[in-house]
Amino acid sequence: MNPFRLVCGKACHLPVEIEHKAYWTVKEYNLSLGGAGVERKLQLAELDCLRLEAYDNSRLYKEKMKAIHDKNIKRGEFRPGEIVLLYNSRLRLLPGKLRSRWEGPYQLEKAEPYGVYHLCHPSSSDIFKVNGHRLKLYHGEQRKGNKEIEIFLLEDVPLDKEH
């Protein structure tokens, strides 16, 4: 027993002893520093490959999402003679929740550059200019004139007497 332990009741560790133990621990676990360096370089290369793969996956995801969103973009060019609806953007105090803000249908008379269109209501001869962002194509006329749609009335349907 050393005198420090007799006086204080606990062991004394000198800084030289701790340094020596640390040196031997490091030497024991790092038998070859060259092998550790090569292993670290492999880990860094693998990390770089994972990062590049993540960038590729992100790019592919963004391309797919752009294609999906671009598919839903409506065409913004109209031709004279088409039937369109006009968005009513006037501010009202009580516009009504269920009331549609699209007015029309209007006949497109003339298209000018930079999205200016001349509209005419079918019941009047007044022609006015509007911005193309306030227009959308009206599909009601085509549906009414479509010969594929058939209307069956309940009276016209033959009923089986057996059932």
Side-chain angles (χ1 to χ4, degrees):
M1 260 201 199
N2 61 10
F4 185 84
R5 186 170 181 117
L6 289 173
V7 173
C8 296
K10 56 184 178 179
C12 173
H13 296 290
L14 297 172
V16 175
E17 291 177 21
I18 294 174
E19 256 183 52
H20 186 67
K21 286 182 183 178
Y23 171 74
W24 281 104
T25 305
V26 168
K27 189 173 181 184
E28 183 180 332
Y29 286 109
N30 291 330
L31 294 175
S32 63
L33 292 176
V38 169
E39 186 177 342
R40 182 66 180 153
K41 286 179 184 175
L42 289 173
Q43 288 175 346
L44 289 174
E46 184 181 356
L47 187 65
D48 203 27
C49 289
L50 287 173
R51 183 180 56 84
L52 290 174
E53 186 178 339
Y55 279 134
D56 287 341
N57 288 340
S58 175
R59 183 182 49 81
L60 289 173
Y61 173 76
K62 287 179 182 178
E63 286 175 0
K64 287 180 185 177
M65 291 308 294
K66 184 180 182 335
I68 289 170
H69 289 292
D70 287 350
K71 184 175 66 174
N72 294 329
I73 293 176
K74 297 175 184 164
R75 90 179 155 91
E77 298 172 1
F78 302 100
R79 289 180 227 101
E82 289 182 335
I83 309 271
V84 294
L85 292 176
L86 175 65
Y87 184 75
N88 183 3
S89 60
R90 284 180 281 149
L91 179 65
R92 295 192 183 117
L93 293 176
L94 298 169
K97 279 185 183 179
L98 301 176
R99 189 163 174 228
S100 176
R101 290 197 170 246
W102 292 97
E103 295 178 349
Y106 292 98
Q107 178 83 26
L108 197 86
E109 296 295 326
K110 181 181 171 187
E112 289 185 7
Y114 305 108
V116 177
Y117 295 98
H118 296 260
L119 298 182
C120 172
H121 196 276
S123 63
S124 70
S125 62
D126 295 337
I127 295 177
F128 56 98
K129 294 180 186 180
V130 294
N131 188 343
H133 292 292
R134 294 179 57 201
L135 299 178
K136 75 176 179 180
L137 207 55
Y138 180 63
H139 299 288
E141 293 290 320
Q142 286 107 4
R143 287 190 190 138
K144 289 179 184 174
N146 192 353
K147 294 181 181 178
E148 294 177 10
I149 296 176
E150 295 180 14
I151 298 173
F152 291 105
L153 297 175
L154 192 56
E155 304 158 353
D156 298 339
V157 177
L159 297 173
D160 291 337
K161 305 272 184 188
E162 297 171 10
H163 295 287

